[in-house]
Amino acid sequence: MYEQVSHSTLNDILLRLAPEIESKDLQHFYIRLGANFYAIYTLFHQLYGHRPDFKEQLYILTKTLALSYIERTDTLKALDLKREKAHDWFLHQHWVGYAVYCKEFAENLTGLKQRLSYLQELGINMLHIMPILECPPDKNDGGYAVKNFRKIDPEVGTLEDLDALVTNMQTREMLLVLDVVVNHTSDQHAWAIAAKEGDAYYQDYFHVFDDRKIPDVYEETMPEIFPETAPGNFTWNADMGKWVMTVFNHYQWDLNYKNPAVFIEMVDIILFWANKGADIVRLDAVAFLWKKMGSQSQNEREAHLILQLMKDCCQVTAPGALFIAEAIVAPVEVTKYFGEDAINAKECEIAYNATLMALLWDAVATKNAKLLNHGIKGIPDKLERATWLNYIRCHDDIGLGFDDKDIVLAGYEPKAHRKFILDYFTGVHPDSNARGIPFGHNLKNGDARIAGSLASLAGLEAALEINDEAAIHASIRVIVLLHSVIMSFGGIPLIYYGDAIGMLNDASYLTHDAKKEDARWIHRPTMHWANALERKVIGTVQYQIFTTLKKMIAIRKEIDAFADHNNRELLDVDNPHVFAYSRFSLVDTKARILVLCNFDTQPQQVVITHLQKKGFLMQASVKDAFSSETILLDQPHIEIPALGFCWLNT
Ligand code: GLC
C-alpha cells in the first residue's frame, strides 16, 4: 500500500537512520519495511497519534526493527525466506507439539537437550518451553512473573545453553516455542524497581494511581483472575505510596500500553527471542493488553491493534517467526486473535483452542457429546492462514468457558451443569473416579475451575489405588480417546509433559511455601524418568499410553486430510454419545477420513444408512486408518467400542 503521508514519514525516518546503521545488507529489511510501513504507521497513529512525540516514537520503533534485523543470524534470515515461500507451512499435519517446564522436565537446558530423543521417539517436532527467564525465587507464578526479559534463570542455564539446544533442535527439524509475557512484569523487574523508587518515567510503564478513585471505577467491571489468592485488580505499594494495577497476582504489575515506550520495549524483546531461535513466540495473556474503565478490560479493540502492530513489526524483522495467542476467552472472542484478514490486520497465526479443551472434558464427565457438538458449532470460522493449538491439559487450570446458551441447547440448566462438571472432576460426584481439585473458587459468584493431571482426571489415579484392572483400562481409553480428537480435529496437537506416560497428580507442591496456595502445581510435576522407562515394558500403563500415542502421531502425519485448511465438517450421527466429523484432503479430494468418537462407557452404534445419506461409507468395506481393521458395510450399524474411536478412510 502506497500512501503519501506515511511514505514521506518513512523517508524522513530512513534519512535519519542511515548514518546510524552503517552500510549493511538490508535489502530484505527495506523491502519488508516498505511493504508493512503503511500498516505500522496507521496502527501506531491510531494508538499514539495524539501524542506530541508520535514521530519520535515511530522513529525509535523503526530503528529497533532495523537493529534487530542486523542482529538476526544468516541461518534465521534464510529460514525467513524459505517460510515466505511456503507461507502456510505450519498448517501441515506433520507438526505435533509438546509443552514442558524446563526445570521439572529436565532440570535445565542442557538436560533438556539430552531429552530431545525421548520427544523424537514419540514423534514430537515442536517444543514449547514455558518461561525460563529470571524471576524472583518465590513470587514467580511459574515463570510468568519475569524479572529480566533478556536473562535466563541461572538455574536453568545460559544463553549459550539455549544456543546449543536450538542448534540441536534445528538439526532434528524441531520447532522451538518460547514465551514472551507481554502483559505484565514481576514487581522485581528493573522497571518496577525504578517506579517504586519514584521515577516518573518508569511509573508510566505501569498503571499507577495516587488514590482509589480510578481503581474503584475499574473494579466495578473487572473480573478477578485469582480471586482466592489475589483478590482485586490493584495492589498498594508502600514504597511508591501509590496503587498499581495487578490483574493476576499482587506481584505481577500490568504494563501500560498507552505508553508507546512500553510497546517498543516489548517488540524489541519479542524480536530478541525470535533472533535467539524461537520459531514461534507464545504471547501470554494477550486478551488483557488494554485496560479501559467501565469494561472488563479484556478483548478490547486496542488489544487487537497492539497485536496487529506487533505482527507487522515482526514481519519486517523476523517474518519467519509466528505468534501463538494465549487468550483463554469466550469462543466468539478467541478467533478474533487470528486477526480480521490474513493479509491486512493479521494478529497471531496460532491460538489455544480452550473451547475444544473444555468441551472435551465436558464429554468425559457426561459420557456424551451433546454440549461438545453445540459448543463446537459456536466457534466462528477462522482465517485460512491460521490454526489452533489443540490440547487436553496444559500447565493452567481447566475453566468451564463454554457458553450458557450452548449448555441450554444441550438440554441442561447452566448453573447446575457447571456444578456437576466441577463435582465430577473433583471427585465429589458419586459416579466419579476423577481426582482433580478446585482452583480459583470465587466466593462472590460461585465460579471455580479445575486443576489436576490428565491421568488423575481421567480416573487412573483412583483405579491404580484399588488395583482395579477394568477401571485402569477405562481410564487409559479416556486418555487415548481425548488424544485421538486433538490429533485429528484440525490444528496442532499439543501434548503436555508427563501425559504420554500417564503421570498422576503431584501433591508435593503443598510442602513448598511459594507454591502451596496455587493448586495448579498439582499438575506441574517433576518428570518421572524412571516411570518413563516403563514405556518399553510391554503391558505397563506407560507402555500402553506411550505406544498408542506414538502410533497415533505417526499415522496423523501420514494423513493429508488432517492438515488444517478449514477442511472439517461436523456430522450429526443421531447418537448423543458420538462425536463425529469428517476431514477431507485438499491434495486428493477423494481422500476423506470419517472420525467417530464414542464418549460412553458402553459400545455405541451409528446407523450406516444415516452416513450414506451424507455421501460417506458408500463402498463395501472401510478401513480404519488407526487400527488397520477392515469393517464390512453389509450390516446396519458400525459399532464403536466403549470410549473408543475410529478414523475411517472413506
Ligand atoms: C497465562 C499463563 C498462566 C499465568 C498467567 C499470568 O495465563 O498461562 O500460567 O498465571 O498468564 O501470567
Side-chain angles (χ1 to χ4, degrees), residues 283 286 300-312 314-315 321-325 333-350 383 385:
L283 300 177
V286 288
E300 286 299 317
R301 176 172 154 67
E302 290 84 349
H304 288 285
L305 299 182
I306 288 167
L307 289 170
Q308 287 166 23
L309 189 52
M310 283 178 172
K311 179 83 279 186
D312 287 326
C314 195
Q315 281 177 170
L322 305 183
F323 287 168
I324 295 179
E333 293 296 340
V334 71
T335 42
K336 295 183 188 163
Y337 289 92
F338 292 125
E340 287 165 25
D341 161 325
I343 296 168
N344 300 309
K346 277 190 245 179
E347 294 181 24
C348 302
E349 291 85 355
I350 308 173
L383 298 182
R385 196 176 168 272

Side-chain angles (χ1 to χ4, degrees), residues 290-535:
W290 196 266
K291 318 298 196 287
K292 202 175 271 176
M293 273 189 281
S295 78
Q296 294 209 328
S297 293
Q298 286 182 43
N299 307 313
E300 286 299 317
R301 176 172 154 67
E302 290 84 349
H304 288 285
L305 299 182
I306 288 167
L307 289 170
Q308 287 166 23
L309 189 52
M310 283 178 172
K311 179 83 279 186
D312 287 326
C313 291
C314 195
Q315 281 177 170
V316 173
T317 300
L322 305 183
F323 287 168
I324 295 179
E326 194 257 343
I328 312 303
V329 295
V332 288
E333 293 296 340
V334 71
T335 42
K336 295 183 188 163
Y337 289 92
F338 292 125
E340 287 165 25
D341 161 325
I343 296 168
N344 300 309
K346 277 190 245 179
E347 294 181 24
C348 302
E349 291 85 355
I350 308 173
Y352 278 80
N353 198 346
T355 311
L356 175 67
M357 181 275 297
L359 289 165
L360 286 173
W361 284 110
D362 187 274
V364 171
T366 59
K367 305 187 174 34
N368 71 59
K370 288 195 277 184
L371 183 55
L372 177 55
N373 270 309
H374 286 291
I376 292 297
K377 282 185 206 137
I379 306 179
D381 283 345
K382 60 176 176 55
L383 298 182
E384 262 171 41
R385 196 176 168 272
T387 196
W388 294 111
L389 209 51
N390 290 325
Y391 65 111
I392 305 161
R393 288 301 291 117
C394 71
H395 68 293
D396 282 331
D397 47 290
I398 302 173
L400 307 181
F402 22 77
D403 256 324
D404 278 0
K405 75 167 185 1
D406 291 326
I407 302 182
V408 173
L409 285 173
Y412 311 114
E413 193 283 313
K415 207 165 163 210
H417 188 68
R418 286 177 195 282
K419 181 166 182 327
F420 162 71
I421 300 294
L422 191 67
D423 286 351
Y424 186 90
F425 286 114
T426 52
V428 171
H429 194 278
D431 293 343
S432 159
N433 58 0
R435 285 284 169 84
I437 51 175
F439 174 78
H441 191 193
N442 189 332
L443 292 172
K444 291 172 214 151
N445 59 19
D447 276 358
R449 286 117 70 184
I450 299 152
S453 80
L454 165 59
S456 292
L457 291 171
L460 186 59
E461 186 176 336
L464 286 170
E465 256 170 35
I466 51 167
N467 204 9
D468 178 336
E469 276 302 323
I472 294 173
H473 183 68
S475 60
I476 293 175
R477 290 186 74 83
V478 171
I479 293 171
V480 170
L481 172 64
L482 291 171
H483 280 95
S484 82
V485 180
I486 63 166
M487 296 288 168
S488 63
F489 191 72
I492 303 172
L494 182 72
I495 298 177
Y496 186 57
Y497 79 99
D499 285 353
I501 53 164
M503 276 182 61
L504 307 176
N505 283 348
D506 177 1
S508 64
Y509 75 101
L510 291 168
T511 59
H512 289 246
D513 281 345
K515 295 180 179 169
K516 65 181 179 205
E517 305 221 307
D518 189 336
R520 292 175 298 174
W521 283 100
I522 199 157
H523 56 250
R524 297 170 177 178
T526 301
M527 182 76 178
H528 291 177
W529 287 105
N531 276 0
L533 278 178
E534 297 285 301
R535 76 189 184 280

Side-chain angles (χ1 to χ4, degrees), residues 49 120 224 265 354 448 496 523 637:
Q120 264 194 320
E224 291 173 320
E265 298 261 23
Y496 186 57
H523 56 250
H637 303 109

Side-chain angles (χ1 to χ4, degrees), residues 32-57:
R32 292 182 190 128
L33 183 64
N36 284 279
F37 196 75
Y38 173 70
I40 291 177
Y41 176 91
T42 310
L43 289 163
F44 204 70
H45 195 267
Q46 270 172 287
L47 290 162
Y48 308 115
H50 59 282
R51 292 175 58 111
D53 63 348
F54 166 71
K55 280 206 172 152
E56 180 61 19
Q57 296 291 347

Side-chain angles (χ1 to χ4, degrees), residues 484 488 562 579-583 593-597 646-648:
S484 82
S488 63
F562 286 169
F579 184 42
Y581 47 91
S582 76
R583 303 295 318 278
I593 299 280
L594 177 63
V595 178
L596 301 172
C597 307
C646 45
W647 289 352
L648 303 180

Side-chain angles (χ1 to χ4, degrees), residues 64-109:
T64 304
L65 302 184
L67 295 180
S68 302
Y69 180 79
I70 292 165
E71 286 294 307
R72 198 156 171 80
T73 62
D74 289 343
T75 312
L76 293 173
K77 284 178 182 162
L79 202 59
D80 289 334
L81 292 172
K82 193 170 146 207
R83 289 183 180 162
E84 275 175 338
K85 273 205 183 112
H87 65 281
D88 57 3
W89 60 273
F90 60 98
L91 305 181
H92 201 277
Q93 73 276 9
H94 176 68
W95 301 113
V96 179
Y98 193 95
V100 296
Y101 270 116
C102 183
K103 264 192 211 169
E104 279 70 13
F105 185 72
E107 277 182 44
N108 52 36
L109 288 169

